[in-house]
């Protein structure tokens, strides 16, 4: 198998740093069509945690900062910033002469509106608010200077400002048109402007000729929502789709793309990790001995080698090696079927005990992995059934409401490349992704590292969190996947982002 890895270049960074406006539309009459496996359902930045939202919306919205495919943080809508008051105040100098797509001016008032909305009643309805609670208030100094006053120093905040909930939104448009309208008709300052949205079908964008970073080279973008991997690959082969983005392409279909001389595979290491998390509240998996036994029953090395064809690596905690807080010395719970049987016996679990594994129905690779895990569990006396759900149902209802089976799939992008973003969401009491577990020690550990500016001290605590989560066996850690893109060779200038946040300003289609 030939895997093509394109270097993480600074093309997008150069665009982010540019302040020159295009004097005339510079884009070519080109259209790029992209297959995305999931419709996020809302385009409001505060409503989402989904990587598939970011794949689209990175082209519509901008943040105060920007992080490109090379993972370096650079200025976005803020030209510069400085930390004051021992990190408890950050002053941003904003770009001038930037407009939202509806002509509304971008200024300090828009920044204040964005964060007060995020931290207020509207933001409380979505999953992003907890990432920004270190912000106490927003103070406008002048039209193009704004201070974020923090409750405590937040060493990850500047990275968080580059994505998701921190994307700057237009105050007047939202106030006049309403929240429901904004969900379906997004307006930002980005390189592409919203044209139309058909739920479950597609979203269409057009070039913003006045983009502050320089006009895009394409005239149109279309993101088609194709949940079925085989259909997405067939559309790529037929030329009706130019790019298929992760996590669509099953490993088993890579040879189909590689065998077509019009197409290629682009694969880059990314932050996305997969695990089967446990219901720690109900049933046999409420017992940590049972959870450890299940982990010991599964040969993850064989899964990575045989099913994932090496396009992933094993994980010992729910993070990738790219994550700040990753501990290379943390030992995995070993594959040990005999030990698993002994633990199950100690826990009083009889042969023939049953459990349910909930997965995303359109994730063909996880479906195959879950079947293999079911076989491993049968060897230690547990009968596992696999229940596929439509992805949005699993993520927005089944998991947050605590209605899962004993085990449930969690795929997490870790987009900040900092373990805090994952661990706080997964383990802190009351968080959306933690419907079952309450652990005072974990809560205190997670809270204690957030305000620390001493990187070594933070890293030590984050490693302690990973070790403690492993000791409690809160999930069956599986693998860190490569980000795999299927692409038509007529697409030029595409740089594969590890976090799937596509910045398509410099792409062309021949």
């Amino acid at each position: 198998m030939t895997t093509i890895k394109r270097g993480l270049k600074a093309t997008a960074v150069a665009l982010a740093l540019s302040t020159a406006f295009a004097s005339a539309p510079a884009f070519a009459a080109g259209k790029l069509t992209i297959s995305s496996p999931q419709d996020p359902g809302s385009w409001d930045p505060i409503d989402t945690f989904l990587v598939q939202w970011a794949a689209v919306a990175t082209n519509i919205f901008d943040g105060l900062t920007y992080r490109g495919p090379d993972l370096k943080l650079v200025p976005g809508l803020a030209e510069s910033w400085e930390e004051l008051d021992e990190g408890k105040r950050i002053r941003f100098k904003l770009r001038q002469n930037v407009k939202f797509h509806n002509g509304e001016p971008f200024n300090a008032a828009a920044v204040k509106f964005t964060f007060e909305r995020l931290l207020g009643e509207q933001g409380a309805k979505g999953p992003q608010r907890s990432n920004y609670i270190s912000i106490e208030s927003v103070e406008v100094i002048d039209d193009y200077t704004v201070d974020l006053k923090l409750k405590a120093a937040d060493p990850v905040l500047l990275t968080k400002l580059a994505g998701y909930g921190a994307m700057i939104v237009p105050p007047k448009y939202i106030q006049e048109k309403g929240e429901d309208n904004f969900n379906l008709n997004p307006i930002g300052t980005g390189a592409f402007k919203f044209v139309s949205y058909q739920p479950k079908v597609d979203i269409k964008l057009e070039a913003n000729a006045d983009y502050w970073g320089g006009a895009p080279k394409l005239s149109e973008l279309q993101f088609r929502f194709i949940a079925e991997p085989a259909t997405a690959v067939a559309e790529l082969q037929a030329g009706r789709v130019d790019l298929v983005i992760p996590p669509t392409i099953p490993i088993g279909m890579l040879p189909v793309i590689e065998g077509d001389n019009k197409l290629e595979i682009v694969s880059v290491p990314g932050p996305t990790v997969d695990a089967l998390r446990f219901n720690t509240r109900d049933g046999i998996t409420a017992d940590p001995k049972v959870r450890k036994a299940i982990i010991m029953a599964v040969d993850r090395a064989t899964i990575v080698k045989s099913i994932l064809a090496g396009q992933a690596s094993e994980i010992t905690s729910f993070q990738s090696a790219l994550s700040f807080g990753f501990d290379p010395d943390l030992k995995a719970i070993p594959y040990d079927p005999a030990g698993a049987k002994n633990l199950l016996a100690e826990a009083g679990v009889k042969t023939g005990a049953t459990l349910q594994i909930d997965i995303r129905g359109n994730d063909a690779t996880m479906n195959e992995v879950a079947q293999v895990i079911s076989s491993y569990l049968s060897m230690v006396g547990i009968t596992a059934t696999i229940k596929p759900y439509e992805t949005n149902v699993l993520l927005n209802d089944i998991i947050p409401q605590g209605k899962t089976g004993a085990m449930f799939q969690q795929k997490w992008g870790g987009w900040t490349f900092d373990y805090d973003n994952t661990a706080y969401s997964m383990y802190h009491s009351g968080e959306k992704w933690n419907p079952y577990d309450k652990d005072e020690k974990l809560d205190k550990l997670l809270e204690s590292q957030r305000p620390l500016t001493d990187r070594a001290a933070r890293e030590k605590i984050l490693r302690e969190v990973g070790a403690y989560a492993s000791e409690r066996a809160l999930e069956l850690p599986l693998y860190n996947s490569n980000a795999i893109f299927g692409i038509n060779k007529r697409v030029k200038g595409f740089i594969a982002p590890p976090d799937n946040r596509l910045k398509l300003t410099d792409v062309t289609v021949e």
Side-chain angles (χ1 to χ4, degrees), residues 328-344:
D329 297 323
L330 181 63
K331 302 298 182 186
I333 296 175
Y335 173 53
D336 181 2
K341 288 180 180 179
N342 290 337
L343 276 181
L344 290 172

Side-chain angles (χ1 to χ4, degrees), residues 81-92 134-137 147-158 161 450-454:
W81 55 84
E82 60 177 327
E83 296 186 349
L84 307 170
D85 302 340
E86 297 181 334
K88 292 185 179 179
R89 181 186 295 267
I90 308 176
R91 175 161 293 177
F92 294 90
S134 63
I135 301 172
E136 183 175 60
S137 63
D147 285 1
L148 295 187
K149 184 179 179 182
L150 310 184
K151 299 171 187 174
D154 182 346
V156 194
L157 182 60
L158 288 171
L161 297 180
R450 278 202 156 181
L452 297 180
T453 55
D454 184 328

Side-chain angles (χ1 to χ4, degrees), residues 201-276:
V201 178
D202 68 1
I203 182 170
K204 294 178 181 178
L205 312 178
E206 66 181 7
N208 175 14
D210 293 325
Y211 183 50
W212 58 266
K217 295 180 179 179
L218 290 165
S219 56
E220 299 175 68
L221 293 179
Q222 179 188 22
F223 289 81
R224 294 175 55 192
F225 305 118
I226 304 176
E228 174 54 49
T231 303
V233 172
E235 291 294 278
L236 180 66
Q237 289 182 292
R240 290 185 288 268
V241 161
D242 302 302
L243 177 66
V244 177
I245 62 177
T248 302
I249 303 171
I251 299 298
M253 297 191 76
L254 292 180
V256 174
I257 296 173
E258 292 174 324
D260 190 322
N261 60 15
K262 304 187 303 297
L263 311 176
E264 63 181 345
I265 292 292
V266 180
S267 176
V268 295
T272 300
V273 285
D274 279 83
L276 290 180

Side-chain angles (χ1 to χ4, degrees), residues 455-493:
R455 283 178 60 84
R458 266 195 82 234
E459 186 173 43
K460 182 180 178 181
I461 295 173
L462 288 173
R463 288 183 174 188
E464 188 176 348
V465 169
Y468 186 59
S470 178
E471 178 188 330
R472 290 199 55 217
L474 295 179
E475 63 260 320
L476 164 56
L478 291 171
Y479 44 82
N480 169 210
S481 305
N482 282 5
I484 302 173
F485 299 80
I487 187 169
N488 193 302
K489 292 179 181 178
R490 69 188 178 200
V491 177
K492 305 298 181 183

Side-chain angles (χ1 to χ4, degrees), residues 56-62 77 98-106 168-170 173 182 185-195 204-212 216 503:
V56 178
T58 299
N59 298 284
I60 300 173
F61 298 102
D62 293 307
L77 287 174
V98 176
K99 291 184 178 181
F100 289 97
H101 299 149
N102 63 339
E104 190 175 334
F106 161 73
I168 306 301
V169 299
Y173 177 76
F182 185 58
N185 301 273
I187 294 288
T189 59
F192 289 87
K193 300 187 289 187
F194 171 78
V195 174
K204 294 178 181 178
L205 312 178
E206 66 181 7
N208 175 14
D210 293 325
Y211 183 50
W212 58 266
K503 185 79 167 179

Side-chain angles (χ1 to χ4, degrees), residues 36-44 47-57 164 183-184 197-203 223-225 390-392 395-396:
S36 171
Q38 184 180 11
D39 178 357
S42 170
W43 298 105
D44 188 335
D47 283 350
T48 191
F49 53 89
L50 296 174
V51 172
Q52 301 309 326
W53 178 91
V56 178
Y164 294 90
N183 290 347
L184 305 179
Y197 170 51
Q198 298 181 77
K200 308 292 185 183
V201 178
D202 68 1
I203 182 170
F223 289 81
R224 294 175 55 192
F225 305 118
E390 197 275 324
T391 299
N392 284 348
L395 298 183
N396 295 319

